[in-house]
């Protein structure tokens, strides 16, 4: 089993992190992604050595114990990063500015991931349209650090009307990344608002072994390198004109949703192009 767990070649730069959403998915078993016969308790151990990041989805639906986070941390290699979706109970709050205690509770637990924690994803689902003042008050609740480590925050919105220059200014003032949703269902804008970028690609096709055509994977490799090198891909939709000549930054790219059974292969194909 040792060879199966050998780490894959690193991405083009340590600041690029590529992965999938979650790691417990039955169709990935039996040789599709996980080797035939691999026991379920070793799936995170395996996945974290084939990919360089995983977005934790379970945190959106329920509370995890600090001991669980510690276990996940210890099963993954140095340099691997988790991101995590903030709990639905927070994101659906009728009064966002009053959710400070819940934010602190969530952050206090997940900080147990230590140096494996890459970013926190705060996702407002379709139909949730916070006013700019309310959103600002909520974002001010997000702590800049936890457990002595800096925290990074990313915001995903699904109401097209919210994507305005005023929103970009709000996020830039707080160094919060605007999530790029590579989707044909949700608004997708790639404006850079922080010292890292966060993309969630949702267009895998079940009929393709790697989920995406080669040309699209090549394009995502180019864009990911641009993000990491400080660039701003001008072939993606923006609210404002792309800004050239930025400083190097970390870049997170996740393949999620859609034909989920193909997402690990898509992530591995992107890593190969970046490596």
């Amino acid at each position: 089993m040792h060879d199966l767990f050998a780490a894959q070649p690193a991405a083009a730069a340590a600041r690029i992190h590529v992965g999938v959403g979650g790691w417990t998915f039955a169709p990935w078993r039996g040789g599709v992604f996980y080797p035939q016969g691999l026991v379920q308790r070793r799936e995170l151990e395996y996945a974290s050595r084939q990919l360089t990041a995983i977005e934790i989805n379970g945190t959106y639906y329920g509370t995890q114990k600090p001991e669980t986070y510690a276990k996940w941390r210890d099963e993954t290699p140095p340099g691997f990063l988790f991101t995590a979706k903030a709990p639905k109970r927070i994101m659906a709050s009728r009064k966002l500015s009053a959710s400070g205690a819940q934010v602190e509770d969530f952050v206090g637990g997940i900080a147990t991931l230590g140096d494996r924690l890459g970013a926190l994803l705060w996702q407002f689902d379709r139909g949730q349209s916070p006013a700019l003042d309310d959103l600002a008050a909520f974002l001010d609740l997000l702590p800049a650090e936890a457990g002595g480590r800096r925290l990074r925050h990313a915001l995903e919105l699904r109401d097209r009307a919210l994507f305005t220059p005023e929103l970009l200014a709000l996020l830039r003032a707080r160094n919060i990344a605007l999530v790029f949703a590579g989707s044909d269902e949700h608004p997708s804008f790639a404006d850079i608002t922080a010292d890292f970028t966060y993309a969630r690609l949702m267009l895998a096709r079940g009929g393709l072994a790697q989920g995406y055509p080669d040309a699209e994977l090549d394009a995502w490799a180019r864009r990911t390198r641009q993000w990491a090198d400080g660039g701003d891909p001008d072939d993606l939709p923006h609210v404002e004109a792309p800004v050239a000549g930025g400083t190097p930054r970390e870049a997170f790219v996740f393949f999620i949703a859609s034909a989920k059974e193909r997402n690990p292969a898509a992530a591995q194909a992107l890593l190969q192009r970046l490596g």
Side-chain angles (χ1 to χ4, degrees):
M1 189 66 72
H2 174 75
D3 290 342
L4 294 175
F5 287 82
Q8 293 293 306
R15 57 183 179 269
I16 295 176
H17 316 286
V18 178
V20 296
W23 63 88
T24 303
F25 186 54
W28 291 348
R29 298 173 182 142
V32 175
F33 174 49
Y34 294 121
Q36 186 75 41
L38 181 70
V39 295
Q40 188 172 338
R41 62 181 171 80
R42 300 194 71 187
E43 288 178 349
L44 175 58
E45 181 186 355
Y46 179 85
S48 64
R49 286 157 176 82
Q50 311 305 311
L51 310 172
T52 55
I54 284 177
E55 181 185 278
I56 304 171
N57 296 321
T59 46
Y60 182 73
Y61 299 102
T63 301
Q64 306 293 329
K65 296 180 180 179
E67 301 82 51
T68 300
Y69 293 129
K71 179 176 179 291
W72 295 344
R73 177 197 66 210
D74 295 344
E75 289 179 356
T76 58
F80 179 86
L81 292 180
F82 290 101
T83 67
K85 289 180 66 174
K88 183 177 182 179
R89 66 180 184 276
I90 297 175
M91 306 315 297
S93 175
R94 291 186 177 181
K95 190 174 182 181
L96 291 169
S97 61
S99 61
Q102 296 181 78
V103 170
E104 290 180 10
D105 180 64
F106 168 59
V107 170
I110 204 164
T112 311
L113 287 173
D115 64 2
R116 303 296 198 273
L117 179 58
L120 298 178
L121 170 63
W122 305 86
Q123 180 191 83
F124 288 95
D125 210 343
R126 182 178 293 173
Q128 295 176 287
S129 303
L132 198 64
D133 288 348
D134 292 337
L135 182 59
F138 172 69
L139 296 179
D140 286 341
L141 298 176
L142 308 186
E145 63 174 38
R149 296 183 181 276
R150 177 195 170 206
L151 290 178
R152 286 173 289 203
H153 302 284
L155 179 70
E156 184 172 9
L157 300 167
R158 292 181 169 175
D159 180 348
R160 185 173 293 272
L162 297 175
F163 291 83
T164 63
E166 291 75 21
L167 171 70
L168 302 184
L170 179 73
L171 298 182
R172 287 170 179 150
R174 293 158 175 78
N175 195 41
I176 294 174
L178 179 66
V179 171
F180 175 78
S183 168
D184 56 8
E185 296 182 18
H186 308 301
S188 300
F189 294 98
D191 296 80
I192 294 172
T193 59
D195 60 3
F196 72 102
T197 59
Y198 198 116
R200 307 178 79 232
L201 308 183
M202 311 181 198
L203 292 175
R205 284 77 125 187
L208 299 175
Q210 295 180 332
Y212 292 76
D214 285 338
E216 291 186 22
L217 290 167
D218 292 343
W220 281 116
R222 173 179 51 79
R223 293 168 185 141
T224 302
R225 288 193 189 96
Q226 282 184 271
W227 280 327
D229 290 339
D232 189 357
D234 61 8
D235 61 341
L236 294 177
H238 285 65
V239 175
E240 297 179 335
V243 179
T247 57
R249 62 177 75 90
E250 292 196 56
F252 293 86
V253 178
F254 295 100
F255 293 88
I256 65 165
S258 191
K260 188 174 178 180
E261 70 277 9
R262 300 301 188 191
N263 287 336
Q268 289 178 300
L270 181 59
L271 282 168
Q272 290 169 358
R273 285 163 168 76
L274 294 168

